[in-house]
């Protein structure tokens, strides 16, 4: 089975940095994904890690440690539009993504 | 390409009725997925197609649920004899699924929201 844990909610100020942690225990590992989901909308792809280390993409970075079953998503220079749910997902085989419950990030002015 | 399309976006039905949702994936994607999402939760996997073949069904998918992808293009998800517990957002996603694109990123549609009264 799959067990993916992430915090339920986080709040931060516009312009600040927020780090969303994700821990996982899965029967296999073939990549870790982060998706952003605004209320009432589809999840949209943010990042993908399959090897240990940091992947940077503009204001967003994602880190993976396979030995620790741990990832984080770092959001820098927060903007109001970054208020959304952030979903950590693990692919255990060739095709299936299993998602965590999501972390709701609220950005305050 | 306009992305993954789902229809209808919203469906309100009475308990016991049948409902059908349609998904049109990105045209060059051979993999198609159905997920279900309830408020405050992440998407839960329901089923997966590679071309027209349904290769996995979750245990969440009771006998009242059936999905098809008859020509390897669009897909339908039918729920028979709906129950209030079926109320959720039904998300469709597609991906390329080839060895070149190692990430095999899923692109989601906007979802079909079902409310069973």
């Amino acid at each position: 089975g799959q067990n993916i844990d992430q915090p339920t909610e986080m709040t931060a100020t516009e312009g600040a940095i927020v780090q969303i942690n994700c821990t996982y225990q899965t029967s296999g590992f073939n990549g870790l994904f982060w998706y952003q989901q605004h209320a009432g909308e589809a999840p949209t792809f943010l990042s993908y890690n399959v090897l240990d280390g940091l992947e940077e993409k503009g204001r967003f970075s994602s880190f993976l440690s396979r030995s620790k079953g741990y990832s984080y998503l770092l959001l820098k220079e927060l903007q109001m539009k970054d208020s959304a749910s952030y979903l950590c997902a693990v692919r255990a085989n060739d095709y299936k993504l299993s998602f965590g419950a999501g972390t709701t990030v609220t950005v305050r002015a | 390409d306009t992305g993954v399309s789902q229809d209808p976006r919203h469906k309100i039905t009475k308990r016991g009725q049948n409902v059908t949702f349609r998904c049109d994936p990105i045209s060059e994607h051979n993999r198609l997925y159905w997920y279900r999402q309830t408020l405050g939760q992440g998407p839960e996997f329901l089923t997966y197609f590679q071309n027209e073949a349904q290769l996995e069904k979750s245990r969440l998918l009771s006998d009242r649920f059936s999905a098809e992808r008859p020509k390897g293009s669009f897909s339908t998800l039918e729920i028979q004899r709906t129950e209030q517990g079926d109320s959720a957002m039904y998300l469709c996603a597609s991906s390329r699924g080839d060895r070149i694109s190692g990430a095999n990123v899923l692109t989601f549609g906007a979802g079909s929201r079902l409310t069973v009264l």
Side-chain angles (χ1 to χ4, degrees):
Chain A
Q2 324 296 336
N3 189 27
I4 301 167
D5 289 318
Q6 51 183 129
T8 303
E9 295 180 339
M10 301 183 76
T11 301
T13 306
E14 198 174 13
I17 298 172
V18 69
Q19 177 174 316
I20 307 169
N21 295 325
C22 172
T23 58
Y24 63 89
Q25 293 174 307
T26 58
S27 54
F29 183 82
N30 192 19
L32 187 139
F33 296 74
W34 286 94
Y35 278 78
Q36 179 191 60
Q37 187 176 28
H38 286 99
E41 298 183 9
T44 55
F45 169 74
L46 288 179
S47 71
Y48 163 68
N49 295 72
V50 67
L51 299 176
D52 289 352
L54 188 68
E55 292 285 339
E56 297 187 86
K57 193 184 291 186
R59 295 188 299 114
F60 294 175
S61 302
S62 58
F63 172 82
L64 174 66
S65 170
R66 288 172 297 170
S67 62
K68 295 182 179 178
Y70 169 69
S71 173
Y72 68 72
L73 178 70
L74 196 69
L75 285 63
K76 294 178 276 191
E77 301 168 15
L78 279 173
Q79 302 175 9
M80 300 299 288
K81 67 178 182 180
D82 298 330
S83 292
S85 179
Y86 291 84
L87 300 162
C88 175
V90 175
R91 188 171 64 206
N93 58 16
D94 182 44
Y95 56 86
K96 186 167 74 176
L97 278 187
S98 298
F99 286 85
T103 299
T104 300
V105 171
T106 302
V107 181
R108 298 177 304 189
Chain B
D1 199 332
T2 55
V4 179
S5 299
Q6 293 189 244
D7 183 72
R9 293 292 310 279
H10 303 275
K11 178 71 176 178
I12 300 174
T13 191
K14 293 183 179 179
R15 189 179 54 182
Q17 298 295 303
N18 299 343
V19 296
T20 299
F21 302 117
R22 176 180 169 122
C23 171
D24 287 272
I26 294 172
S27 57
E28 63 265 29
H29 286 183
N30 63 349
R31 295 184 173 188
L32 187 145
Y33 311 76
W34 285 98
Y35 282 80
R36 179 171 68 189
Q37 186 175 27
T38 54
L39 197 62
Q41 298 299 313
E44 295 175 294
F45 173 83
L46 293 179
T47 191
Y48 158 67
F49 291 85
Q50 179 148 335
N51 299 310
E52 67 277 9
Q54 188 175 21
L55 298 185
E56 184 174 345
K57 289 175 61 173
S58 165
R59 280 171 286 183
L60 294 174
L61 224 59
S62 75
D63 291 345
R64 296 184 298 106
F65 288 72
S66 62
E68 295 182 345
R69 193 182 184 199
K71 297 182 180 179
S73 56
F74 74 92
S75 175
T76 57
L77 176 68
E78 181 183 17
I79 309 174
Q80 296 182 327
R81 305 182 302 282
T82 52
E83 302 173 356
Q84 289 183 325
D86 298 331
S87 295
M89 176 76 85
Y90 290 85
L91 292 164
C92 177
S94 68
S95 69
R96 284 180 63 101
D98 57 47
R99 295 297 177 187
I100 297 173
S101 177
N104 187 29
V105 173
L106 270 63
T107 301
F108 283 86
S112 294
R113 181 169 296 283
L114 174 66
T115 302
V116 181
L117 301 176

